[in-house]
Amino acid sequence: MPLLEAIRAVVGDRGLLTDPADTAGYTEDWRRLYRGRTPAVIRPASTDELARVVHLCAEARAPIVPQGGNTSMVGGATPAESGDEFVLSTSRLTRIRDIDPLDLTMTIESGVTLKSAQNAAAEAGCLLPLSISSEGSANIGGVLAVNAGGNNTVRYGNARDLVLGLEVVLPDGTVWNGLRRLRKDNTGYCLRQLFVGSEGTLGIITAAVLKLAPRPREICVAFCAVPSPEAALALFSRFQSHDPAAVQAFEYMSGPGVDLVLQLIPGATLPLAQPSTHYVLVELATPRPDAALRAALETVLERAMADAIVTDAAIAESEAQRAAIWRLREEHSEAQKRAGASVKNDVSVPISKVPEFIHRATTACHTLMPGIRAMPFGHMGDGNIHFNLVQPIEADPQWFLAQDHAIMDTVNEVVRALDGSFSAEHGIGKLKPYMMPDWRGGAELAVMQRIKAALDPLGIMNPGKLLPGMNHG
């Protein structure tokens, strides 16, 4: 195949995988909802190599599926079953080009894992505040391509709020170098924000300038039992009123969701005397010296317990205990995966509407399918709840997954009634393009399609993802 040999001449033998045994791990998504085929996995070692590969593919009209850590929850990095889409992996773009503790910036290539980036920032005495469950394997490029949110959004915003500059390979192989470290740069369209959240449909992010924050001097974490989602929201309001700058994360978990983690994740333990129907994880952090966070945490919790907003609470006394508490939250997806098939709804509503959403969506799903197991959890502090549904215990997994559209539509009816969004942080990928005309139709979707057509007229960048009916031609 002439194209393959031309690509091999650019990236070398190490940069080109063609044996199905070597490419298999790149052709199936993390949730195992999608399994595709590819003629090759291309692994450039530099931006120049990647740009030359994209140029060759554009000349040949060969479709490309950009892939980072392959942790997409919506099939956003999986090639089609047709077998004609190249997987272009950024996993070898792993340089941390610069860290400036005075400027509080990091210039980093897209193949660096989020965890490695966090560690590098910490070694420089700084904090990269973006934090997600898959940070050990998720790559920076993919994190930015889907505008990941994560645990600290309530304090620091989503991924796009941390991006100062980007380097992007465009669909024709041109490199746009926008790696600026400026806080203010009002010179025309903000192109970097066009590519953040575009899911690889407009270009491939190869490097980024990210904002850092001062490293916290003190972190306090508590795991709380609460009687209801309303009580959880009331507790959030109290922490916000007490010291909004200290709230780094505020996570809600349902009783059934935590029970599943305790049952299926070895080593997971409940730090409370009795189980509860609802839980909250609150994390306070500050770079201020002598901020007395522990005293503030205890003060808010004591008053909340006196008012029956909190029924029990455990405060981490060590880093190991903090990690154990966070594990109860972070292992939700893995526990649900081990429990059988699940349908995931990554939705957002106004923060004040979160309790109503949880109640109404739970009732609606139980009405639709008796025995279904609703396990909502997530970022109550920013209104993003992962309303996940696990199959009834005796149900056939494939039968259950075949009902995914009906289940998602049932949840989304409640989301729409509460002025929310059907995709808060996971993106659209291959799973949800069919929803776009109904939710983002008219002028909004038309503008998106015109942008796509202008930047990628051949339709070779991640076809079949994000936008409905946008396949390569």
Side-chain angles (χ1 to χ4, degrees), residues 29-103:
D29 72 309
W30 181 83
R31 294 178 59 192
R32 298 177 181 170
L33 294 179
Y34 301 103
R35 182 179 292 107
R37 295 184 297 121
T38 183
V41 174
I42 308 166
R43 303 169 62 241
S46 67
T47 297
D48 178 66
E49 285 188 6
L50 193 148
R52 290 161 63 192
V53 166
V54 171
H55 179 71
L56 289 169
C57 289
E59 286 190 322
R61 294 187 172 234
I64 297 168
V65 178
Q67 189 178 105
N70 199 20
T71 60
S72 174
M73 303 291 277
V74 291
T78 307
E81 296 176 358
S82 59
D84 64 341
E85 298 175 358
F86 288 100
V87 173
L88 203 158
S89 170
T90 60
S91 60
R92 293 176 70 197
L93 302 179
T94 56
R95 286 194 304 141
I96 296 173
R97 297 183 186 178
D98 180 68
I99 298 179
D100 189 332
L102 183 61
D103 206 32

Side-chain angles (χ1 to χ4, degrees), residues 166-188:
L166 290 181
E167 178 184 82
V168 180
V169 175
L170 303 176
D172 63 356
T174 301
V175 179
W176 170 55
N177 185 344
L179 291 174
R180 306 181 187 103
R181 299 189 298 170
L182 304 174
R183 260 63 175 189
K184 289 185 175 180
D185 180 16
N186 200 4
T187 51

